[in-house]
Amino acid sequence: MESKAKLLGHALHQMLIVFPLGLLSTAVLFDIIYMVTRDVRWTQASYFMIAAGVIGGLAAALFGWIDWFGIPRGTRAWRIGLIHGVGNVVVLILFALSWLLRRSDPGSPASEAVAAALGGFVLSAVTAWLGGELVDRLGVGVDNGAHLNAPSSLVDRRSRAPAAFSGTERRGSFVRSA
């Protein structure tokens, strides 16, 4: 099932999730480094990474929501997508809570702030696996014409010509100018 929200032929949700996942995971890693070193620069960096990760997560969620509405109700993919989406909302809430609890002193977060981030991190591992299940196992967000020798996503599938160009023809597995 193809994604409903694409940019240059690729699913926007799948492109955007790498940012919040990376930022929020690294924020937790920085909190752990802080606990070992007591160097406040790590938690100060974590504070800003959480803010950026939550903002990025909201952007990714918008396009995930659009794609989820394209999945037929009553399917396994629809149910997993619902759990994946709700779980990620909880992840964002936990990290937003962690950020709010850090606001008064980003260099020395309360243990509740670190616990909220750690809880969000653990839950994000589960929701990331569910996202992988949706894409890799159930084919959600995968182009209907996907295969090992599929043409570039920049090629118009109807004419097999590059979408932004004209006067081309297809010879073998390459697109060449006429």
Side-chain angles (χ1 to χ4, degrees):
M1 185 203 102
E2 287 193 52
S3 173
K4 302 298 179 200
K6 290 184 166 188
L7 176 66
L8 298 175
H10 292 281
L12 280 166
H13 178 68
Q14 295 165 354
M15 283 193 275
L16 291 176
I17 58 100
V18 297
F19 296 107
L21 192 58
L23 287 162
L24 297 173
S25 298
T26 304
V28 171
L29 177 65
F30 283 7
D31 283 346
I32 293 169
I33 293 171
Y34 164 74
M35 286 187 252
V36 172
T37 66
R38 291 293 176 201
D39 184 344
V40 297
R41 291 178 294 181
W42 294 106
T43 53
Q44 290 169 337
S46 181
Y47 174 77
F48 292 106
M49 293 178 86
I50 290 171
V54 168
I55 292 167
L58 292 171
L62 171 66
F63 296 107
W65 184 65
I66 291 168
D67 284 345
W68 180 72
F69 273 105
I71 300 172
R73 288 186 82 114
T75 62
R76 181 169 177 257
W78 188 89
R79 289 186 305 274
I80 290 175
L82 178 63
I83 296 166
H84 169 73
V86 169
N88 280 322
V89 167
V90 173
V91 167
L92 290 178
I93 289 169
L94 287 169
F95 274 103
L97 175 64
S98 177
W99 183 83
L100 287 170
L101 292 170
R102 295 166 190 256
R103 280 185 62 195
S104 62
D105 187 7
S108 182
S111 57
E112 295 85 2
V114 175
L118 189 57
F121 173 77
V122 170
L123 181 57
S124 73
V126 174
T127 60
W129 184 89
L130 289 170
E133 184 78 355
L134 286 165
V135 174
D136 296 335
R137 185 80 174 154
L138 301 172
V140 173
V142 176
D143 189 272
N144 290 330
H147 57 83
L148 294 176
N149 288 312
S152 167
S153 58
L154 298 175
V155 172
D156 181 359
R157 283 185 264 162
R158 293 174 302 248
S159 68
R160 296 294 181 207
F165 303 101
S166 61
T168 60
E169 63 186 45
R170 182 175 165 86
R171 292 190 185 129
S173 61
F174 299 97
V175 175
R176 299 180 187 196
S177 296

